Amino acid sequence: MSRTSSFRAAYDEVLGQWPGPVDTVDLPTPYGVTRVNSCGPAGAPPLVLLPGGGATSTVWGACAAAGAARTHRMHAVDLVGDPGLSVPAPGRALRSVADLVGWMDAVLDGLGPHGPVALGGHSYGAWIAAHYAAARAARLGRLVLLDPTRVFAGLRPGYVLRALPVLVRPTPERIRSFLGWETRGAVLDPAWLRLQDETAGLPAVRPVTGPRPDPGALAEPPDTRVDVLFAERARCHDAGRAARSAREALPAARVGVLPGVAHHALPLTAAGEIARRLAD
């Protein structure tokens, strides 16, 4: 089995654990074709979810099974250029925050949701979601940021040093070692871990980087509800300090810290709490 086909098999195995039926669509955008996996009642409020870097849209299956797919029409997106089934357009790489905003515009246009959208993201996906909310508040009714990185706090140098070998030359062994360290040995879904192993053989694309989102722009829209959840045991930043910064920047937001949860494990091990808050 080729590396690409083994990745696809691992991806389909994790997707097969979602509560069915799951609808898949490939949306054309200026930056490539974007794969979206959707489930939940067709008439339910739309919820668009962005994964953390390298996690793929399949990471949201635990949240769907925990109840998010009962209260929302859930649309989980594979980031263009990241592991997953989205296909970047030749010669049209995402290079800036403005490009990401344009890409998200095209994704939402393609999904055609009825009414304001709830947009959520984890880690790097939360950074993208926050930038989009700052630029396109009128399109959103709710913003959910799950342990966002580089939004309310910078990355700890020790975390960056530990992650660097995985970013520069990923191998299954390095990925497993890093996840074991960061999650402090949390028990993770074996199928999802196999999928993470398979990402090591995929072509790497440099992610978009840039400044933190403007907190004033996030706080400005009075009709957009903002929820921010931090992982208490995250190694990437100090969760308590980041939560305090979020409360200062967004006084009207609901900000919380989930005890006993690590950063990379958040969508998997805290799925029940995430689904409960989404339903609230």
Side-chain angles (χ1 to χ4, degrees), residues 35-56:
R35 168 59 61 93
V36 181
N37 295 306
S38 304
C39 64
L47 170 65
V48 177
L49 294 169
L50 306 179
T56 80

Side-chain angles (χ1 to χ4, degrees), residues 32 46 48 84 164 198 207 213 232:
V48 177
L164 201 57
E198 294 296 336
E232 180 198 34

Side-chain angles (χ1 to χ4, degrees), residues 84-176:
L85 301 185
S86 293
V87 181
R92 192 74 192 277
L94 291 159
R95 300 187 184 281
S96 67
V97 169
D99 290 345
L100 287 171
V101 170
W103 168 69
M104 278 299 307
D105 277 339
V107 170
L108 294 187
D109 289 343
L111 289 172
H114 300 292
V117 171
L119 176 63
H122 170 237
S123 188
Y124 176 59
W127 181 82
I128 297 173
H131 270 294
Y132 189 76
R136 298 285 192 270
R139 298 198 72 165
L140 305 181
R142 188 174 183 185
L143 176 66
V144 181
L145 305 177
L146 301 174
D147 214 34
T149 49
R150 299 180 58 250
V151 176
F152 303 104
L155 296 174
R156 283 173 165 162
Y159 173 86
V160 175
L161 287 174
R162 191 72 182 239
L164 201 57
V166 182
L167 298 173
V168 173
R169 192 169 68 83
T171 65
E173 294 75 22
R174 287 181 173 183
I175 291 171
R176 292 270 183 143

